[in-house]
Amino acid sequence: NCGKPVSASSAHKDFPAANAVDENIKTWWRAATGKPGEWLQIDLGGEKTVHALQVNFAEPDPSIKSPDHQGFVQKYRVDGSSDAKTWTTLVDRSNNTRDMPHDYCELPAPARARYVRFSAVDTGEAGGLAIRDLRIFGAGGGDPPTAVAEVTPEFGSAPLAVVFDASGSSDPDDKIVLYQWDFGDGSNPGLGVQVAHVYAEPGTYVASLFVAD
C-alpha cells in the first residue's frame, strides 16, 4: 500500500498523514492530539483481500519518558470497509497491556476491503499518537516474494551471537516491505533485512524468515 491515498482525523503540521505510507523510516504521521478516536485511513484503490496488517509506531514526543522504562502501551482497533460507510473489525487491540513498537497481525481469515482504518482507543502515557508505517498485506494479484535467509554462525556455544541476513530475498513485482524473523526460542520477532540475535541458552533452535511485498 506504499503511496496509496491516505486521510486522517488530524495531523501535526510537520507530520502529515502521507508519511505513514511512504516506506521511509525517517518520517511518520503524528495526530494533532493524543485523544481517543484519532484515526488514519488508507484507500487501496479497489476492494482487495487482506491477510495481515503491520503497525510501526513512532514516539509522538521523544521528551516524554515512560516512568517504568517499558515503553508505551497503545490501545487501538483496525477496521475494514468496502464503501467507507459500513465497517468490520479486522484487528482489536483495545485491551492491549504491553508495549508494541511493531505490531504484525495475521487475520484469522482473509477479509475483503478497499478502505482500512486505524483508530486510537487509548494512547496512555505516550501523550500522543504517531505511526511510522501502516502496512497492509494481501492478495494483490502479483507473484509473491521469495525468502532467502543466511545465518552466521550456524552453531556454537551459548551464549551465541548470530547474524541473520535476508538480502538474498527477491520479489519479481515490487519491493519487499516486510522482513520478519522468528528466532525459534520464544523471543520477540526481529524486523529488518539484517538482524542480530543472542541465544542465551544451549539448545537446538529452528529460525524462520517471513517476507511480504
Side-chain angles (χ1 to χ4, degrees):
N1 56 281
C2 181
K4 293 293 186 181
V6 61
S7 56
S9 54
S10 69
H12 186 282
K13 62 182 180 65
D14 296 325
F15 305 95
N19 287 355
V21 293
D22 64 2
E23 287 301 324
N24 185 342
I25 63 172
K26 296 181 179 179
T27 67
W28 56 89
W29 163 67
R30 176 178 172 183
T33 77
K35 296 179 180 179
E38 292 277 17
W39 54 265
L40 180 73
Q41 180 176 302
I42 297 174
D43 180 357
L44 298 176
E47 195 173 56
K48 307 293 184 182
T49 300
V50 179
H51 290 271
L53 305 163
Q54 184 184 19
V55 185
N56 295 333
F57 291 100
E59 293 182 355
D61 186 348
S63 66
I64 300 176
K65 302 299 181 182
S66 174
D68 59 6
H69 306 289
Q70 297 299 312
F72 299 112
V73 174
Q74 293 278 1
K75 298 182 179 181
Y76 67 92
R77 190 181 68 251
V78 180
D79 300 307
S81 174
S82 296
D83 57 8
K85 296 178 181 179
T86 303
W87 297 87
T88 300
T89 299
L90 305 178
V91 175
D92 191 347
R93 294 284 195 260
S94 300
N95 296 316
N96 179 44
T97 58
R98 61 188 182 91
D99 176 38
M100 294 186 297
H102 313 282
D103 190 14
Y104 175 75
C105 318
E106 290 189 9
L107 305 188
R112 296 286 290 175
R114 171 174 176 171
Y115 303 93
V116 176
R117 176 182 285 189
F118 171 102
S119 300
V121 174
D122 185 2
T123 60
E125 296 170 347
L129 173 63
I131 294 178
R132 198 176 303 278
D133 299 291
L134 177 56
R135 294 169 172 167
I136 303 165
F137 305 104
D143 296 324
T146 300
V148 176
E150 294 186 1
V151 182
T152 307
E154 294 186 5
F155 57 87
S157 301
L160 182 66
V162 177
V163 174
F164 295 87
D165 190 343
S167 59
S169 301
S170 62
D171 177 39
D173 301 309
D174 201 356
K175 66 178 182 179
I176 298 174
V177 299
L178 174 67
Y179 299 83
Q180 179 165 301
W181 299 88
D182 182 340
F183 301 117
D185 60 355
S187 61
N188 290 329
L191 297 173
V193 177
Q194 188 177 82
V195 299
H197 183 69
V198 176
Y199 290 94
E201 302 295 332
T204 300
Y205 303 98
V206 179
S208 60
L209 168 66
F210 171 79
V211 297
D213 58 4

